[in-house]
Amino acid sequence: MIDLFQLYEKFCGTYNTQQGGHVRPSRNFVDWANDISMELFKEYVPLAEKNQQIKDYLSPFLKSKNIVINTVPGAMHDIIKFPADYEHYASARVFYDSNRNGCSCTGLPVIDGNSGKECELPYQDEDDRNKNKVGNELCEVSIIKVDNQRWGSICAHKTLFPTKESPKITQFEGGFKIAPKNIGVMVLDYYRKPVFATFNYTITNPGNIDEYYQYNENASTKLEWSPVLVSEFINRIGKKYGKFIREQFIFETSELDRKVSP
């Protein structure tokens, strides 16, 4: 995680805010930091599958949950709702025991597919699953995500239609359609939003030359990003600071620093 106070001190030292223009942490700085946190999140998520480094950066926001899939009567597929904190899709998979029954993944929360809320597995526990296993025959099968335009044709395709060996999923407003029916439970991997960081402090000797901020770490919330990205935050905050004080020189210097930083 990135400590906001340390980030603030580094920012002030890098851009010499004593001369360039003072920035109070609660008025602009913390807003800039949270804006940049969301900027990085939105930029990185589409790139995660093709870039392992970016995928590592996003690891604090990646969650995995068992989703109980409730059968939809009369439909060719079943439907599940998003978990409450769902933001972006990462992947999905199903575990089968030796009898090809869908199993839960041990250690992950269980979510009801109808409500999107945490629940208990209604039909199977770990001991029952182990009784059904033969050796290490529990297998994991990836669920293939299909865009909405191709969903109908895929479901009707003679060879590519959804099966237990090749399940398919598509996203719609509010959740997912999944086929074939009666899978039972799946594991959904998804990204949640970064938490909103806070900078809690008191001012000691306000208005005097020796005024300073007394940071309250216990009452503050850190940025969830890796400290490796401190330089990226500093550069991006520098751009916002350059606009804030309307000095093109600082803005251009920040751009140059970003280009040459490793």
Side-chain angles (χ1 to χ4, degrees), residues 157-168:
H157 200 278
K158 292 183 178 180
T159 58
L160 299 178
F161 64 91
T163 64
K164 279 198 169 185
E165 290 71 27
S166 181
K168 306 293 193 299

Side-chain angles (χ1 to χ4, degrees), residues 82 148 171-175:
F82 295 139
N148 278 309
Q171 189 168 334
F172 69 99
E173 184 179 3

Side-chain angles (χ1 to χ4, degrees), residues 8-250:
Y8 177 72
E9 287 191 318
K10 188 168 184 178
F11 156 70
C12 291
T14 301
Y15 290 96
N16 192 16
T17 58
Q18 292 294 333
Q19 293 184 7
H22 185 57
V23 176
R24 289 191 181 274
S26 61
R27 293 184 181 176
N28 300 101
F29 175 79
V30 72
D31 290 336
W32 293 342
N34 280 304
D35 287 347
I36 291 166
S37 178
M38 286 306 303
E39 287 172 10
L40 289 173
F41 183 75
K42 291 177 180 179
E43 289 176 19
Y44 284 174
V45 166
L47 304 175
E49 288 305 309
K50 297 181 180 180
N51 189 309
Q52 183 59 47
Q53 185 178 49
I54 289 178
K55 196 170 186 177
D56 292 341
Y57 291 157
L58 289 169
S59 61
F61 317 110
L62 182 63
K63 301 187 74 173
S64 299
K65 292 183 177 179
N66 293 299
I67 309 292
V68 177
I69 305 171
N70 301 288
T71 300
V72 178
M76 298 179 61
H77 53 260
D78 292 327
I79 292 176
I80 60 173
K81 289 185 177 180
F82 295 139
D85 57 350
Y86 176 91
E87 187 65 23
H88 289 288
Y89 177 87
S91 61
R93 55 200 192 278
V94 61
F95 290 86
Y96 293 125
D97 63 21
S98 58
N99 295 323
R100 307 303 284 168
N101 295 314
C103 301
S104 63
C105 185
T106 305
L108 297 181
V110 182
I111 302 296
D112 179 79
N114 281 346
S115 65
K117 299 179 179 179
E118 292 199 16
C119 66
E120 299 284 338
L121 271 177
Y123 57 89
Q124 186 180 54
D125 60 25
E126 187 70 12
D127 290 337
D128 291 334
R129 188 180 76 176
N130 288 334
K131 290 176 184 177
N132 289 332
K133 283 171 50 179
V134 178
N136 293 318
E137 290 186 12
L138 187 70
C139 65
E140 177 179 348
V141 176
S142 294
I143 300 176
I144 301 170
K145 189 168 184 285
V146 178
D147 60 68
N148 278 309
Q149 290 181 339
R150 296 192 301 128
W151 178 250
S153 59
I154 285 290
C155 289
H157 200 278
K158 292 183 178 180
T159 58
L160 299 178
F161 64 91
T163 64
K164 279 198 169 185
E165 290 71 27
S166 181
K168 306 293 193 299
I169 194 171
T170 191
Q171 189 168 334
F172 69 99
E173 184 179 3
F176 297 97
K177 298 176 183 177
I178 184 169
K181 296 176 68 64
N182 301 314
I183 287 180
V185 62
M186 60 175 274
V187 176
L188 177 66
D189 305 312
Y190 65 94
Y191 295 104
R192 62 165 177 80
K193 284 183 179 180
V195 299
F196 190 83
T198 59
F199 193 119
N200 189 284
Y201 68 96
T202 56
I203 302 177
T204 302
N205 299 324
N208 297 322
I209 193 170
D210 57 346
E211 172 184 313
Y212 67 93
Y213 298 122
Q214 185 68 44
Y215 178 60
N216 189 339
E217 182 177 0
N218 293 332
S220 301
T221 306
K222 297 181 179 180
L223 291 163
E224 295 180 287
W225 296 92
S226 166
V228 174
L229 291 169
V230 165
S231 295
E232 184 69 21
F233 270 89
I234 293 295
N235 284 325
R236 294 192 183 213
I237 291 172
K239 289 177 63 177
K240 294 180 182 294
Y241 179 61
K243 293 178 181 179
F244 173 68
I245 62 173
R246 300 183 184 280
E247 288 186 11
Q248 189 63 31
F249 173 77
I250 291 181

Side-chain angles (χ1 to χ4, degrees), residues 246-262:
R246 300 183 184 280
E247 288 186 11
Q248 189 63 31
F249 173 77
I250 291 181
F251 181 78
E252 292 175 354
T253 301
S254 176
E255 284 288 284
L256 179 61
D257 288 343
R258 183 178 180 183
K259 291 179 181 178
V260 300
S261 61

